[in-house]
Amino acid sequence: QVQVVESGGGLVQAGGSLRLSCAASGRTSRTYAVGWFRQAPGKEREFVATISWSGGMTYYADFVKGRFTLSRDNAKSTAYLQMNSLKPEDTAVYYCAVAGFATIQVSRYDYWGQGTQVTVSS
């Protein structure tokens, strides 16, 4: 079983940056991926980005391309989401999750973190 914990959220001005961390603990011996999702009040949870752990292949939602960047630290079993040029519409709770492969489908992710709040002011 894998435990997932997000951190790094906070309050920033528009145009600012945050780096979210996703620490995964427990055994994950097969090929897997880390995904990021976000959810604003009254809205559905939406895909943000995903990275395959072994190969490092990434995929980003259109609304974050060129602004957000994924990376990983294999030794620390930690994934990072660098968020630059933040906009007020990026305000949401951001969730990290683990799946068997890189996918945008929420249902394919088996383990979820508790979420971290990102608030962007104008």
Side-chain angles (χ1 to χ4, degrees), residues 39-65:
Q39 187 168 21
K43 295 186 177 181
E44 296 293 321
R45 189 167 299 185
E46 64 179 347
F47 170 78
V48 176
T50 186
I51 181 170
S52 63
W53 200 254
S54 59
M57 182 177 294
T58 59
Y59 182 78
Y60 300 89
D62 288 341
F63 57 81
V64 302
K65 287 180 179 177

PDB file of all heavy atoms in Angstrom, residues 39-65:
ATOM      1  N   GLN A  39      -9.213  20.824  -7.607  1.00  0.00           N
ATOM      2  CA  GLN A  39     -10.648  20.961  -7.467  1.00  0.00           C
ATOM      3  C   GLN A  39     -10.980  22.268  -6.767  1.00  0.00           C
ATOM      4  O   GLN A  39     -10.527  22.517  -5.657  1.00  0.00           O
ATOM      5  CB  GLN A  39     -11.230  19.786  -6.686  1.00  0.00           C
ATOM      6  CG  GLN A  39     -12.744  19.762  -6.648  1.00  0.00           C
ATOM      7  CD  GLN A  39     -13.276  18.451  -6.122  1.00  0.00           C
ATOM      8  OE1 GLN A  39     -12.580  17.705  -5.442  1.00  0.00           O
ATOM      9  NE2 GLN A  39     -14.519  18.150  -6.459  1.00  0.00           N
ATOM     10  N   ALA A  40     -11.764  23.084  -7.445  1.00  0.00           N
ATOM     11  CA  ALA A  40     -12.267  24.318  -6.876  1.00  0.00           C
ATOM     12  C   ALA A  40     -13.661  24.071  -6.318  1.00  0.00           C
ATOM     13  O   ALA A  40     -14.350  23.140  -6.747  1.00  0.00           O
ATOM     14  CB  ALA A  40     -12.298  25.419  -7.931  1.00  0.00           C
ATOM     15  N   PRO A  41     -14.114  24.887  -5.359  1.00  0.00           N
ATOM     16  CA  PRO A  41     -15.442  24.688  -4.782  1.00  0.00           C
ATOM     17  C   PRO A  41     -16.535  24.660  -5.838  1.00  0.00           C
ATOM     18  O   PRO A  41     -16.582  25.519  -6.717  1.00  0.00           O
ATOM     19  CB  PRO A  41     -15.599  25.895  -3.857  1.00  0.00           C
ATOM     20  CG  PRO A  41     -14.200  26.244  -3.472  1.00  0.00           C
ATOM     21  CD  PRO A  41     -13.387  25.989  -4.714  1.00  0.00           C
ATOM     22  N   GLY A  42     -17.396  23.660  -5.762  1.00  0.00           N
ATOM     23  CA  GLY A  42     -18.504  23.543  -6.690  1.00  0.00           C
ATOM     24  C   GLY A  42     -18.148  22.996  -8.053  1.00  0.00           C
ATOM     25  O   GLY A  42     -19.017  22.911  -8.922  1.00  0.00           O
ATOM     26  N   LYS A  43     -16.893  22.623  -8.256  1.00  0.00           N
ATOM     27  CA  LYS A  43     -16.467  22.115  -9.547  1.00  0.00           C
ATOM     28  C   LYS A  43     -15.925  20.698  -9.426  1.00  0.00           C
ATOM     29  O   LYS A  43     -15.563  20.247  -8.342  1.00  0.00           O
ATOM     30  CB  LYS A  43     -15.404  23.026 -10.158  1.00  0.00           C
ATOM     31  CG  LYS A  43     -15.895  24.421 -10.495  1.00  0.00           C
ATOM     32  CD  LYS A  43     -14.845  25.218 -11.236  1.00  0.00           C
ATOM     33  CE  LYS A  43     -15.373  26.579 -11.643  1.00  0.00           C
ATOM     34  NZ  LYS A  43     -14.348  27.363 -12.389  1.00  0.00           N
ATOM     35  N   GLU A  44     -15.886  20.012 -10.558  1.00  0.00           N
ATOM     36  CA  GLU A  44     -15.349  18.663 -10.598  1.00  0.00           C
ATOM     37  C   GLU A  44     -13.835  18.685 -10.474  1.00  0.00           C
ATOM     38  O   GLU A  44     -13.174  19.656 -10.844  1.00  0.00           O
ATOM     39  CB  GLU A  44     -15.745  17.969 -11.898  1.00  0.00           C
ATOM     40  CG  GLU A  44     -17.239  17.758 -12.077  1.00  0.00           C
ATOM     41  CD  GLU A  44     -17.795  16.773 -11.083  1.00  0.00           C
ATOM     42  OE1 GLU A  44     -17.113  15.769 -10.795  1.00  0.00           O
ATOM     43  OE2 GLU A  44     -18.913  16.993 -10.593  1.00  0.00           O
ATOM     44  N   ARG A  45     -13.301  17.597  -9.959  1.00  0.00           N
ATOM     45  CA  ARG A  45     -11.856  17.455  -9.909  1.00  0.00           C
ATOM     46  C   ARG A  45     -11.323  17.328 -11.335  1.00  0.00           C
ATOM     47  O   ARG A  45     -11.838  16.547 -12.132  1.00  0.00           O
ATOM     48  CB  ARG A  45     -11.481  16.226  -9.082  1.00  0.00           C
ATOM     49  CG  ARG A  45     -10.006  16.102  -8.777  1.00  0.00           C
ATOM     50  CD  ARG A  45      -9.760  15.049  -7.702  1.00  0.00           C
ATOM     51  NE  ARG A  45     -10.422  15.404  -6.452  1.00  0.00           N
ATOM     52  CZ  ARG A  45     -10.294  14.724  -5.320  1.00  0.00           C
ATOM     53  NH1 ARG A  45      -9.525  13.647  -5.280  1.00  0.00           N
ATOM     54  NH2 ARG A  45     -10.946  15.114  -4.229  1.00  0.00           N
ATOM     55  N   GLU A  46     -10.294  18.093 -11.666  1.00  0.00           N
ATOM     56  CA  GLU A  46      -9.775  18.096 -13.017  1.00  0.00           C
ATOM     57  C   GLU A  46      -8.293  17.747 -13.061  1.00  0.00           C
ATOM     58  O   GLU A  46      -7.530  18.051 -12.141  1.00  0.00           O
ATOM     59  CB  GLU A  46     -10.022  19.448 -13.702  1.00  0.00           C
ATOM     60  CG  GLU A  46      -9.304  20.623 -13.072  1.00  0.00           C
ATOM     61  CD  GLU A  46      -9.571  21.932 -13.797  1.00  0.00           C
ATOM     62  OE1 GLU A  46     -10.109  21.901 -14.921  1.00  0.00           O
ATOM     63  OE2 GLU A  46      -9.244  22.996 -13.239  1.00  0.00           O
ATOM     64  N   PHE A  47      -7.901  17.140 -14.158  1.00  0.00           N
ATOM     65  CA  PHE A  47      -6.522  16.730 -14.365  1.00  0.00           C
ATOM     66  C   PHE A  47      -5.620  17.927 -14.582  1.00  0.00           C
ATOM     67  O   PHE A  47      -5.978  18.869 -15.290  1.00  0.00           O
ATOM     68  CB  PHE A  47      -6.445  15.792 -15.575  1.00  0.00           C
ATOM     69  CG  PHE A  47      -5.055  15.502 -16.034  1.00  0.00           C
ATOM     70  CD1 PHE A  47      -4.257  14.591 -15.360  1.00  0.00           C
ATOM     71  CD2 PHE A  47      -4.535  16.135 -17.145  1.00  0.00           C
ATOM     72  CE1 PHE A  47      -2.966  14.318 -15.781  1.00  0.00           C
ATOM     73  CE2 PHE A  47      -3.248  15.876 -17.579  1.00  0.00           C
ATOM     74  CZ  PHE A  47      -2.465  14.966 -16.894  1.00  0.00           C
ATOM     75  N   VAL A  48      -4.430  17.877 -13.986  1.00  0.00           N
ATOM     76  CA  VAL A  48      -3.439  18.933 -14.148  1.00  0.00           C
ATOM     77  C   VAL A  48      -2.218  18.428 -14.913  1.00  0.00           C
ATOM     78  O   VAL A  48      -1.819  19.004 -15.920  1.00  0.00           O
ATOM     79  CB  VAL A  48      -2.999  19.498 -12.784  1.00  0.00           C
ATOM     80  CG1 VAL A  48      -1.882  20.524 -12.967  1.00  0.00           C
ATOM     81  CG2 VAL A  48      -4.183  20.125 -12.062  1.00  0.00           C
ATOM     82  N   ALA A  49      -1.609  17.347 -14.419  1.00  0.00           N
ATOM     83  CA  ALA A  49      -0.385  16.836 -15.035  1.00  0.00           C
ATOM     84  C   ALA A  49      -0.081  15.451 -14.501  1.00  0.00           C
ATOM     85  O   ALA A  49      -0.537  15.073 -13.430  1.00  0.00           O
ATOM     86  CB  ALA A  49       0.795  17.775 -14.753  1.00  0.00           C
ATOM     87  N   THR A  50       0.722  14.695 -15.241  1.00  0.00           N
ATOM     88  CA  THR A  50       1.151  13.379 -14.786  1.00  0.00           C
ATOM     89  C   THR A  50       2.553  13.082 -15.280  1.00  0.00           C
ATOM     90  O   THR A  50       2.972  13.578 -16.331  1.00  0.00           O
ATOM     91  CB  THR A  50       0.177  12.274 -15.244  1.00  0.00           C
ATOM     92  OG1 THR A  50       0.553  11.018 -14.664  1.00  0.00           O
ATOM     93  CG2 THR A  50       0.178  12.135 -16.760  1.00  0.00           C
ATOM     94  N   ILE A  51       3.275  12.278 -14.522  1.00  0.00           N
ATOM     95  CA  ILE A  51       4.624  11.875 -14.878  1.00  0.00           C
ATOM     96  C   ILE A  51       4.795  10.390 -14.595  1.00  0.00           C
ATOM     97  O   ILE A  51       4.429   9.915 -13.524  1.00  0.00           O
ATOM     98  CB  ILE A  51       5.683  12.717 -14.126  1.00  0.00           C
ATOM     99  CG1 ILE A  51       7.107  12.299 -14.521  1.00  0.00           C
ATOM    100  CG2 ILE A  51       5.490  12.618 -12.615  1.00  0.00           C
ATOM    101  CD1 ILE A  51       8.184  13.248 -14.008  1.00  0.00           C
ATOM    102  N   SER A  52       5.350   9.652 -15.561  1.00  0.00           N
ATOM    103  CA  SER A  52       5.670   8.252 -15.335  1.00  0.00           C
ATOM    104  C   SER A  52       6.953   8.164 -14.532  1.00  0.00           C
ATOM    105  O   SER A  52       7.915   8.892 -14.798  1.00  0.00           O
ATOM    106  CB  SER A  52       5.807   7.498 -16.662  1.00  0.00           C
ATOM    107  OG  SER A  52       6.877   8.016 -17.440  1.00  0.00           O
ATOM    108  N   TRP A  53       6.967   7.283 -13.537  1.00  0.00           N
ATOM    109  CA  TRP A  53       8.097   7.269 -12.614  1.00  0.00           C
ATOM    110  C   TRP A  53       9.379   6.745 -13.238  1.00  0.00           C
ATOM    111  O   TRP A  53      10.451   7.302 -13.031  1.00  0.00           O
ATOM    112  CB  TRP A  53       7.754   6.456 -11.366  1.00  0.00           C
ATOM    113  CG  TRP A  53       8.642   6.798 -10.230  1.00  0.00           C
ATOM    114  CD1 TRP A  53       9.661   6.068  -9.725  1.00  0.00           C
ATOM    115  CD2 TRP A  53       8.591   8.005  -9.471  1.00  0.00           C
ATOM    116  NE1 TRP A  53      10.256   6.729  -8.693  1.00  0.00           N
ATOM    117  CE2 TRP A  53       9.623   7.926  -8.505  1.00  0.00           C
ATOM    118  CE3 TRP A  53       7.772   9.145  -9.507  1.00  0.00           C
ATOM    119  CZ2 TRP A  53       9.860   8.948  -7.591  1.00  0.00           C
ATOM    120  CZ3 TRP A  53       8.016  10.163  -8.602  1.00  0.00           C
ATOM    121  CH2 TRP A  53       9.042  10.055  -7.660  1.00  0.00           C
ATOM    122  N   SER A  54       9.288   5.674 -14.000  1.00  0.00           N
ATOM    123  CA  SER A  54      10.485   5.055 -14.552  1.00  0.00           C
ATOM    124  C   SER A  54      11.069   5.828 -15.727  1.00  0.00           C
ATOM    125  O   SER A  54      12.278   6.043 -15.798  1.00  0.00           O
ATOM    126  CB  SER A  54      10.189   3.618 -14.972  1.00  0.00           C
ATOM    127  OG  SER A  54       9.150   3.567 -15.935  1.00  0.00           O
ATOM    128  N   GLY A  55      10.218   6.242 -16.643  1.00  0.00           N
ATOM    129  CA  GLY A  55      10.696   6.902 -17.841  1.00  0.00           C
ATOM    130  C   GLY A  55      10.685   8.415 -17.807  1.00  0.00           C
ATOM    131  O   GLY A  55      11.351   9.059 -18.622  1.00  0.00           O
ATOM    132  N   GLY A  56       9.939   8.993 -16.881  1.00  0.00           N
ATOM    133  CA  GLY A  56       9.876  10.437 -16.775  1.00  0.00           C
ATOM    134  C   GLY A  56       9.025  11.114 -17.828  1.00  0.00           C
ATOM    135  O   GLY A  56       9.094  12.340 -17.971  1.00  0.00           O
ATOM    136  N   MET A  57       8.246  10.348 -18.565  1.00  0.00           N
ATOM    137  CA  MET A  57       7.361  10.946 -19.557  1.00  0.00           C
ATOM    138  C   MET A  57       6.295  11.775 -18.857  1.00  0.00           C
ATOM    139  O   MET A  57       5.729  11.351 -17.851  1.00  0.00           O
ATOM    140  CB  MET A  57       6.711   9.860 -20.408  1.00  0.00           C
ATOM    141  CG  MET A  57       5.804  10.380 -21.507  1.00  0.00           C
ATOM    142  SD  MET A  57       5.124   9.044 -22.530  1.00  0.00           S
ATOM    143  CE  MET A  57       6.612   8.436 -23.314  1.00  0.00           C
ATOM    144  N   THR A  58       6.039  12.946 -19.391  1.00  0.00           N
ATOM    145  CA  THR A  58       5.082  13.861 -18.779  1.00  0.00           C
ATOM    146  C   THR A  58       3.973  14.236 -19.741  1.00  0.00           C
ATOM    147  O   THR A  58       4.129  14.181 -20.966  1.00  0.00           O
ATOM    148  CB  THR A  58       5.769  15.146 -18.298  1.00  0.00           C
ATOM    149  OG1 THR A  58       6.402  15.795 -19.410  1.00  0.00           O
ATOM    150  CG2 THR A  58       6.820  14.842 -17.239  1.00  0.00           C
ATOM    151  N   TYR A  59       2.847  14.628 -19.165  1.00  0.00           N
ATOM    152  CA  TYR A  59       1.734  15.138 -19.932  1.00  0.00           C
ATOM    153  C   TYR A  59       1.039  16.190 -19.090  1.00  0.00           C
ATOM    154  O   TYR A  59       0.802  15.986 -17.900  1.00  0.00           O
ATOM    155  CB  TYR A  59       0.760  14.018 -20.309  1.00  0.00           C
ATOM    156  CG  TYR A  59      -0.391  14.504 -21.154  1.00  0.00           C
ATOM    157  CD1 TYR A  59      -0.222  14.759 -22.506  1.00  0.00           C
ATOM    158  CD2 TYR A  59      -1.652  14.729 -20.593  1.00  0.00           C
ATOM    159  CE1 TYR A  59      -1.264  15.227 -23.279  1.00  0.00           C
ATOM    160  CE2 TYR A  59      -2.698  15.193 -21.357  1.00  0.00           C
ATOM    161  CZ  TYR A  59      -2.494  15.439 -22.712  1.00  0.00           C
ATOM    162  OH  TYR A  59      -3.538  15.900 -23.469  1.00  0.00           O
ATOM    163  N   TYR A  60       0.698  17.311 -19.731  1.00  0.00           N
ATOM    164  CA  TYR A  60       0.106  18.434 -19.026  1.00  0.00           C
ATOM    165  C   TYR A  60      -1.239  18.808 -19.618  1.00  0.00           C
ATOM    166  O   TYR A  60      -1.436  18.732 -20.836  1.00  0.00           O
ATOM    167  CB  TYR A  60       1.013  19.659 -19.103  1.00  0.00           C
ATOM    168  CG  TYR A  60       2.389  19.469 -18.511  1.00  0.00           C
ATOM    169  CD1 TYR A  60       3.448  19.001 -19.285  1.00  0.00           C
ATOM    170  CD2 TYR A  60       2.637  19.780 -17.180  1.00  0.00           C
ATOM    171  CE1 TYR A  60       4.709  18.840 -18.744  1.00  0.00           C
ATOM    172  CE2 TYR A  60       3.899  19.623 -16.633  1.00  0.00           C
ATOM    173  CZ  TYR A  60       4.932  19.154 -17.416  1.00  0.00           C
ATOM    174  OH  TYR A  60       6.186  19.004 -16.875  1.00  0.00           O
ATOM    175  N   ALA A  61      -2.138  19.239 -18.757  1.00  0.00           N
ATOM    176  CA  ALA A  61      -3.380  19.818 -19.231  1.00  0.00           C
ATOM    177  C   ALA A  61      -3.080  21.109 -19.985  1.00  0.00           C
ATOM    178  O   ALA A  61      -2.104  21.809 -19.690  1.00  0.00           O
ATOM    179  CB  ALA A  61      -4.323  20.107 -18.062  1.00  0.00           C
ATOM    180  N   ASP A  62      -3.917  21.430 -20.960  1.00  0.00           N
ATOM    181  CA  ASP A  62      -3.675  22.602 -21.794  1.00  0.00           C
ATOM    182  C   ASP A  62      -3.561  23.893 -20.986  1.00  0.00           C
ATOM    183  O   ASP A  62      -2.760  24.770 -21.317  1.00  0.00           O
ATOM    184  CB  ASP A  62      -4.781  22.742 -22.837  1.00  0.00           C
ATOM    185  CG  ASP A  62      -4.696  21.700 -23.937  1.00  0.00           C
ATOM    186  OD1 ASP A  62      -3.625  21.103 -24.116  1.00  0.00           O
ATOM    187  OD2 ASP A  62      -5.718  21.494 -24.625  1.00  0.00           O
ATOM    188  N   PHE A  63      -4.337  24.008 -19.937  1.00  0.00           N
ATOM    189  CA  PHE A  63      -4.375  25.274 -19.206  1.00  0.00           C
ATOM    190  C   PHE A  63      -3.151  25.526 -18.342  1.00  0.00           C
ATOM    191  O   PHE A  63      -3.014  26.612 -17.780  1.00  0.00           O
ATOM    192  CB  PHE A  63      -5.663  25.370 -18.363  1.00  0.00           C
ATOM    193  CG  PHE A  63      -5.865  24.261 -17.378  1.00  0.00           C
ATOM    194  CD1 PHE A  63      -5.222  24.266 -16.153  1.00  0.00           C
ATOM    195  CD2 PHE A  63      -6.716  23.204 -17.675  1.00  0.00           C
ATOM    196  CE1 PHE A  63      -5.416  23.248 -15.233  1.00  0.00           C
ATOM    197  CE2 PHE A  63      -6.923  22.177 -16.770  1.00  0.00           C
ATOM    198  CZ  PHE A  63      -6.267  22.201 -15.549  1.00  0.00           C
ATOM    199  N   VAL A  64      -2.246  24.543 -18.241  1.00  0.00           N
ATOM    200  CA  VAL A  64      -1.016  24.749 -17.464  1.00  0.00           C
ATOM    201  C   VAL A  64       0.248  24.617 -18.307  1.00  0.00           C
ATOM    202  O   VAL A  64       1.348  24.867 -17.788  1.00  0.00           O
ATOM    203  CB  VAL A  64      -0.929  23.794 -16.262  1.00  0.00           C
ATOM    204  CG1 VAL A  64      -2.138  23.972 -15.354  1.00  0.00           C
ATOM    205  CG2 VAL A  64      -0.790  22.348 -16.718  1.00  0.00           C
ATOM    206  N   LYS A  65       0.123  24.256 -19.562  1.00  0.00           N
ATOM    207  CA  LYS A  65       1.291  24.094 -20.419  1.00  0.00           C
ATOM    208  C   LYS A  65       2.090  25.390 -20.504  1.00  0.00           C
ATOM    209  O   LYS A  65       1.543  26.464 -20.709  1.00  0.00           O
ATOM    210  CB  LYS A  65       0.874  23.653 -21.818  1.00  0.00           C
ATOM    211  CG  LYS A  65       0.409  22.209 -21.895  1.00  0.00           C
ATOM    212  CD  LYS A  65       0.016  21.823 -23.312  1.00  0.00           C
ATOM    213  CE  LYS A  65      -0.430  20.373 -23.385  1.00  0.00           C
ATOM    214  NZ  LYS A  65      -0.882  19.996 -24.744  1.00  0.00           N
TER     215      LYS A  65
END
